[in-house]
Amino acid sequence: MSESPDVEAVFWDIGGVILRMESVRAAHREFVERLCAEYPAAADSDAALERWRDILGMYFSEREGTAFRPAREGYRGAVDEILTVSPEKTEWEALFREIRTEQVEPNLDAVAAIEELADAPLHQGVISDVDAGEGEQLLRTFGVWEAMDSYTASEAVGRTKPDPAMFETALEKAEVEPAQAVMIGDRYEHDMDGGTRAGLWTVAYGAEDGPAVDVALDDLRELPDWLGVAE
């Protein structure tokens, strides 16, 4: 493990770091199955799920550069594709929120690290491309919202990682210099390379290794010790 930096701010990604992506995929599957059971569908639930994933993939791939596109609009477009009735005539949004709240799960090692760092003399924040309202709900569901001193959402900035604006906005909120902050993420290009280019230290949690990674952790409960603030 590399030598720990002297930092004053820690920034977390949500998806894949605080949030277990396996639980998101399971929630999407249940949502599509319930949707097809409750409303007229164009295909069976397995085919509908494949179509749902394809539509969402195309929706995000079609954005221009790092411009933000709200996930909820992608969800609506996917619902429109798999049902033979207009989304406006359904309760899909309420159903989606219900299943998401019930099914999504946190990475417990991330939650443990966040809770320990909440007692340290550090600014703790989030830098995430998740829709702002959805991200806040997830953090509240996982019981870590109150541990955050700031939340930088792509929806508010208008850009997604690795755009420098995301990191610059977070640094301004924390009132720290880039070299005094660390980014924890699971995607190399967005979190590691984006953070490094902005001058931050980086911690890879599932992200591939490369020159932009300062340290890789398989268990985020090791993070406070690496930062030198372990209890």
Side-chain angles (χ1 to χ4, degrees):
M1 187 178 295
S2 65
E3 183 180 352
S4 62
D6 182 15
V7 301
E8 297 182 10
V10 176
F11 296 113
W12 295 84
D13 181 36
I14 294 181
V17 179
I18 300 176
L19 168 67
R20 289 186 66 248
M21 293 307 296
E22 294 89 346
S23 70
V24 174
R25 289 187 281 272
H28 285 182
R29 172 177 288 278
E30 180 169 342
F31 169 69
V32 171
E33 289 176 350
R34 290 268 300 275
L35 200 67
C36 291
E38 295 182 20
Y39 299 102
D44 62 39
S45 60
D46 287 339
L49 180 62
E50 184 176 352
R51 184 58 176 158
W52 162 275
R53 290 171 173 166
D54 288 344
I55 292 298
L56 286 179
M58 288 188 291
Y59 173 77
F60 287 113
S61 68
E62 290 171 352
R63 70 184 178 196
E64 296 183 5
T66 60
F68 172 76
R69 299 196 82 180
R72 59 183 175 275
E73 294 301 324
Y75 298 149
R76 185 194 180 286
V79 169
D80 194 25
E81 284 286 330
I82 64 178
L83 296 183
T84 58
V85 60
S86 171
E88 284 77 8
K89 296 182 179 180
T90 72
E91 297 293 330
W92 77 267
E93 290 180 285
L95 178 62
F96 186 84
R97 287 193 298 270
E98 174 191 336
I99 293 174
R100 183 180 64 199
T101 300
E102 292 176 350
Q103 295 290 326
V104 294
E105 301 173 350
N107 282 316
L108 296 180
D109 56 338
V111 171
I114 291 169
E115 291 175 342
E116 185 170 347
L117 290 177
D119 296 324
L122 293 169
H123 178 102
Q124 193 163 206
V126 165
I127 303 178
S128 176
D129 295 336
V130 174
D131 290 11
E134 181 178 353
E136 179 177 342
Q137 182 190 27
L138 288 168
L139 296 175
R140 289 187 182 279
T141 299
F142 299 156
V144 296
W145 175 256
E146 297 299 329
M148 297 302 170
D149 300 302
S150 67
Y151 179 20
T152 300
S154 289
E155 187 167 10
V157 178
R159 294 288 168 182
T160 60
K161 293 174 291 182
D163 196 292
M166 288 292 292
F167 302 97
E168 291 166 0
T169 300
L171 291 167
E172 289 174 3
K173 292 179 180 180
E175 298 182 335
V176 299
E177 296 299 316
Q180 297 174 311
V182 61
M183 178 70 208
I184 306 154
D186 69 317
R187 294 183 297 175
Y188 186 85
E189 179 184 355
H190 292 75
D191 303 312
M192 303 296 98
D193 195 45
T196 294
R197 289 178 182 274
L200 285 71
W201 293 80
T202 60
V203 173
Y205 181 69
E208 63 183 88
D209 196 12
V213 174
D214 289 309
V215 67
L217 296 178
D218 294 326
D219 188 336
L220 288 170
R221 288 173 293 187
E222 298 175 3
L223 181 66
D225 185 58
W226 181 67
L227 292 172
V229 296
E231 296 179 350

